[in-house]
Structure formats: C-alpha cells, structure tokens
Amino acid sequence: MVKPSFGTELKFDKALNPTLVIMNFRTVTYNKFRAMGILVILFSFFPYANAQVVFHSIDELFAYADDNAIILKSATANEQLFLSKVKEKKSDFLPDISASLGYNDNITLQPNLIPAQIFNPSAPEGEFSEVVFGTKYQYNGSLQAKWDVLNFQRIFAVEVSKIELSKAEATTEINRFNLYNQLASTYYSILLTRESIKVYEENVAVSDTILINALNQFQKGTISESAYNQALINSRQTTSQLKMSQNSLQQYYVQLQSQLHTQDTILIDDNFEQFGLINSTSLQAHPQLLLQKANLSSAEAQLKQIKALRYPTLSLVYQNSRTWATDDFIGFSNANVLPQQIFGATLSMNLFDFSAERKIEQSKINIQLQKLELESSKIELQKEDELLQLQLTQGLTQLSDNEQILVLQKKNDQHSENLYQSGLISLDNRLDKYKELLNAQNNYLSSLASLTLSKYKIHIRQVDFNSK
C-alpha cells in the first residue's frame, strides 16, 4: 500500500506500479494544492470586496491612486488650508471697520462741588455749592475705521504665505512620487511572481518526471538510495518554491489594496512586453528639488519680512460717534444730540530693535544653509539619474544574455533527459544538468526584476508632477 507523507519515508508494495503511484500522488497533491490556493485567493477577498478593479497598465494604477489614495487626499486638503491662509494674509490689507451701540442708565447722578461764586458773585470765597450735572439716560453709537496704508510686515507676510503654499504643493508631489514608487514595486512584484509561477510549474512537472524514473531505478536496484533521495528532495523543493510564489502573489494583492486604501478586489491584466520606455533620457525635475527650492524661497522671504521691522508703518484712523442724552427713557424727541468725528494719521517706526538684528543675522545663515542643501540635492539627484541610465543599459544587456542562456539550458536539459531515459547517463548527471537549468532560471528572473526596477523608476521620473 502507498502511504504518502511529507514527513515520513514513502513505502511501496512491490506489486504496485511505482510510476502510477508517483503520478497519482503528485497529481492529486498538486491539483489539490492549486484548487486550495485559488479558493484561498478568491475567498480571502470575498467578505470585503465591493467590486473588482482591473488594471491593464501601471499608468491606470497611478490614475486610480490619484483619485482614491488617502495620503494624496490629505495632502490636497492641506494645500487648501495653506491657500486659505494666503487669502487671510491678503485680507489684512483691507481696512478694519467696526461699529458699536451703547446704552447707559445713570440711576444716581453724582453730585459735584463747584465754587459758589460761579452762580453768586457775592458769595464768600471758599464756599461751594452742590450741583448735579447730566441726564439719566444716554445712548451712543459710533463707527470706527482703521487702515494700515503702508505696512511692510503685512506685504511680506503675503509673500511668505504664498511660498508656504508652494511648499505644501511640493510636499504633495513628494508624497505622490513616493506612493507611485511603492505602487510600482508591488505592481511589478505581482507580474514577476506570476512569471516565476509559470517557471516553477514547469519545474514541478520536470522534477516529477525525474522522481518517477528515479523510483523505478531505485526499486530495480540500479541507483543508490542517496540518488533517489536527491531526486525526491529536488521534487519537494520545486513544489515548495511554487507554493511560496503562490502565497506571495496573494500577499502582494493584499498589499496593493492597503496602498490604495480600498476594499475592492484587484486584478492586474498586464505583461512585461507592454511596458516600454519611449525615451529613457527625458526626465522631469525631481519633486525633492521643488521642495528644496521652495525652502530657499521661504528663507529669503522671511529675511525680507524681518528687515521690514525697520520700515515705518502708516495708519489712518476715522471715527464718527454720536450720543443722545435725555431724562426720558427712549425719549429721543427731547434728547440732546452730541456728535463727534475724529480723523487721524499715525506714522510709527522702530528706532532701536536689537533683537531684529539678531533675527536678520540668523535668517542670512539659514539662507546659506538652504543654498548648500539645494546644491547638494541637485548633484545627488543628478547622479541618481545617471545611475538609473547605467542600470537600465546594463539590465537590458543582462536580461538578453540570461534569456538566451535560459533557452540553451532548456535545450540542454531536454537533451540530458533524453540521454537519461535512454540509459546513457546516470541520475547524478541528470540532476546536475537540472541544477544548471534551475540556476539559469533564477538568473533570468533576477535580471528581469532588476530591469523592471530600473524601467519603472525611470518611467515615474518622466511623470510631470507639476501638471497633476
């Protein structure tokens, strides 16, 4: 009887056909695993899936992220916040206008002492009379306006707020750039994993064939147990690689859902042949440079704003008020009307402000630091671009070479299989040739991954983030 177990040695009845045993066992196990894998992938999304989103290219994925990624929505909202601050600073140029209304009920009018000679010239000096002045009710209303006609602090505050807005926009593009790279990494990991699954499925079929022949020869006594065990190890290794790739594929899809902040089921209908670069040397400005330039502009604007502390400020003030005094509650017909108008101009200027001098000194140093950082970033990013070009060129050559080597290794492996089936080479020689094929496959997949990495990085660098 056959007792298949991955944890124990396989034992066979001599009357049982070993070829059929291995084929049935491997077929049932492999088909069962494939069915379970497909069910796991489908049902893992079922409780949460609202719809299915299909991407046919990396640009479709980027467009979807622009509309749905929470990190980009938050960055856009942050831009709106800074835009509102710009409008707030501009509104400071408008005059401040206020109005007020008042009501007083003089319940007890305070008596006042005045010299008695005012009303009676013959009264002795030093004698005072007690007199009560005022009315019981007073109503007043006023309109005030103040306008800073000339205020350099506010002028440069608007400039600083505009630059802060540009910094927020640059931060959004950096977030978009980083998100694009994360998405592209996961996207092409899915494509690479699907490619590796195809390769590993072929390996499982080849290793099964070798294992069947090895078992036949082992039972006949023509090969050693160690040779048979090696064939069994190879078979299990290829199956393990296939399982790992299928599990990785499922994980990458979940990771892509997380990066896109969606519960929708995702399907990628794309292949490597559709991904090409029209012009690999045409690259847009790196978003990091946009932020560095905005930081430099901000430092320069802040210096202007601090220097403005030395400049004079001219303000105009106008006030129009009126008071109604009466002894009758809401008796305006007999009320005394007391109008008043004031117009004034104020010119103010700081003659001595030693702290401002220190702030100016600090701002100048900050500008120097921002210039050095900008220059450093320019050189660093330029070299990164050159390195990308070199990696792309090398990757194209390496992939072409490894692809040709893989084709030749497949032919050699088939030739080796024919010799082995004919009994012209030993199992050890057959397994050695098979290892060479596995090495060629790994080199091919590795070079494909490296080239794809260079391609999508250059592709993202060709995106005009200013137009987003």
Side-chain angles (χ1 to χ4, degrees), residues 177 181 277 279-284 286 380-396 449-462:
F177 177 80
N181 276 280
L277 294 173
N279 184 1
S280 62
T281 60
S282 177
L283 304 179
Q284 298 289 337
H286 198 286
E380 181 180 348
L381 294 174
Q382 179 186 357
K383 295 306 174 184
E384 285 185 6
D385 293 344
E386 293 177 4
L387 184 61
L388 271 178
Q389 301 292 343
L390 293 174
Q391 289 174 343
L392 177 64
T393 303
Q394 180 182 357
L396 289 170
S450 298
L451 177 61
T452 304
L453 177 66
S454 301
K455 275 189 172 184
Y456 81 67
K457 282 189 173 182
I458 291 178
H459 181 63
I460 294 174
R461 286 299 314 283
Q462 292 176 333

Side-chain angles (χ1 to χ4, degrees), residues 120-140:
N120 185 5
S122 61
E125 186 176 352
E127 184 178 337
F128 293 89
S129 299
E130 187 176 293
V131 181
V132 177
F133 294 100
T135 56
K136 182 173 176 57
Y137 302 104
Q138 288 186 353
Y139 305 88
N140 58 76

Side-chain angles (χ1 to χ4, degrees), residues 54-71:
V54 181
F55 298 115
H56 300 90
S57 68
I58 190 67
D59 292 323
E60 288 185 8
L61 176 63
F62 291 161
Y64 183 89
D66 289 338
D67 296 332
N68 295 275
I70 293 178
I71 187 174

Side-chain angles (χ1 to χ4, degrees), residues 407-426:
V407 172
L408 294 175
Q409 284 291 357
K410 284 183 177 180
K411 292 180 179 180
N412 287 345
D413 186 74
Q414 183 60 49
H415 181 63
S416 175
E417 174 65 16
N418 295 336
L419 293 176
Y420 175 67
Q421 293 291 345
S422 302
L424 299 179
I425 62 173
S426 66

Side-chain angles (χ1 to χ4, degrees), residues 77-90:
N78 192 49
E79 289 182 27
Q80 296 300 318
L81 177 62
F82 279 96
L83 180 60
S84 178
K85 291 182 178 180
V86 172
K87 295 179 180 179
E88 177 189 358
K89 296 300 180 182
K90 287 183 176 180

Side-chain angles (χ1 to χ4, degrees), residues 191-222:
L191 294 184
L192 285 165
T193 303
R194 290 200 320 216
E195 188 75 10
S196 66
I197 288 176
K198 295 178 184 177
V199 173
Y200 296 148
E201 286 175 343
E202 294 177 359
N203 290 345
V204 168
V206 173
S207 62
D208 283 350
T209 302
I210 295 176
L211 180 60
I212 291 171
N213 292 330
L215 181 58
N216 260 321
Q217 294 185 25
F218 175 63
Q219 289 189 334
K220 293 177 182 178
T222 57

Side-chain angles (χ1 to χ4, degrees), residues 85-351:
K85 291 182 178 180
V86 172
K87 295 179 180 179
E88 177 189 358
K89 296 300 180 182
K90 287 183 176 180
S91 66
D92 290 340
F93 288 110
L94 300 176
D96 296 330
I97 301 176
S98 61
S100 63
L101 293 173
Y103 159 73
N104 290 326
D105 182 354
N106 298 316
I107 298 174
T108 300
L109 294 175
Q110 181 181 359
N112 295 281
L113 295 176
I114 64 173
Q117 293 178 345
I118 293 178
F119 298 104
N120 185 5
S122 61
E125 186 176 352
E127 184 178 337
F128 293 89
S129 299
E130 187 176 293
V131 181
V132 177
F133 294 100
T135 56
K136 182 173 176 57
Y137 302 104
Q138 288 186 353
Y139 305 88
N140 58 76
S142 65
L143 178 68
Q144 302 92 23
K146 182 182 179 181
W147 186 18
D148 287 343
V149 180
L150 185 63
N151 190 322
F152 291 98
Q153 280 285 304
R154 293 184 175 180
I155 293 174
F156 293 119
V158 173
E159 183 177 348
V160 170
S161 64
K162 288 181 178 178
I163 295 174
E164 292 299 319
L165 173 60
S166 66
K167 288 173 63 175
E169 293 171 345
T171 301
T172 299
E173 302 318 320
I174 290 177
N175 290 337
R176 193 189 310 275
F177 177 80
N178 293 334
L179 178 61
Y180 279 11
N181 276 280
Q182 292 174 3
L183 292 174
S185 176
T186 307
Y187 183 89
Y188 286 109
S189 293
I190 291 174
L191 294 184
L192 285 165
T193 303
R194 290 200 320 216
E195 188 75 10
S196 66
I197 288 176
K198 295 178 184 177
V199 173
Y200 296 148
E201 286 175 343
E202 294 177 359
N203 290 345
V204 168
V206 173
S207 62
D208 283 350
T209 302
I210 295 176
L211 180 60
I212 291 171
N213 292 330
L215 181 58
N216 260 321
Q217 294 185 25
F218 175 63
Q219 289 189 334
K220 293 177 182 178
T222 57
I223 63 172
S224 65
E225 184 178 358
S226 62
Y228 165 71
N229 289 339
Q230 187 59 50
L232 184 59
I233 290 172
N234 287 346
S235 178
R236 291 185 175 178
Q237 285 178 339
T238 55
T239 303
S240 176
Q241 286 179 325
L242 179 60
K243 290 180 181 179
M244 290 177 59
S245 293
Q246 290 172 332
N247 289 331
S248 296
L249 182 62
Q250 179 186 352
Q251 293 176 23
Y252 284 132
Y253 270 114
V254 174
Q255 182 176 332
L256 195 57
Q257 283 181 309
S258 174
Q259 292 169 343
L260 292 174
H261 307 103
T262 181
Q263 295 284 10
D264 294 339
T265 303
I266 296 176
L267 177 63
I268 294 179
D269 184 15
D270 191 7
N271 55 64
F272 290 101
E273 287 73 18
Q274 294 177 358
F275 182 45
L277 294 173
I278 299 175
N279 184 1
S280 62
T281 60
S282 177
L283 304 179
Q284 298 289 337
H286 198 286
Q288 185 64 37
L289 284 181
L290 300 179
L291 181 59
Q292 294 290 352
K293 291 179 181 178
N295 287 335
L296 176 58
S297 299
S298 177
E300 293 172 343
Q302 288 175 2
L303 175 60
K304 294 179 182 179
Q305 188 177 19
I306 295 173
K307 285 184 176 180
L309 293 172
R310 303 170 174 173
Y311 304 155
T313 300
L314 177 61
S315 303
L316 301 179
V317 178
Y318 172 77
Q319 180 177 343
N320 188 337
S321 62
R322 183 164 297 190
T323 302
W324 293 265
T326 178
D327 287 325
D328 299 323
F329 183 67
I330 316 181
F332 293 101
S333 59
N334 297 322
N336 293 318
V337 181
L338 308 174
Q340 183 185 29
Q341 287 192 75
I342 297 175
F343 175 79
T346 303
L347 182 65
S348 60
M349 181 177 181
N350 288 329
L351 297 180

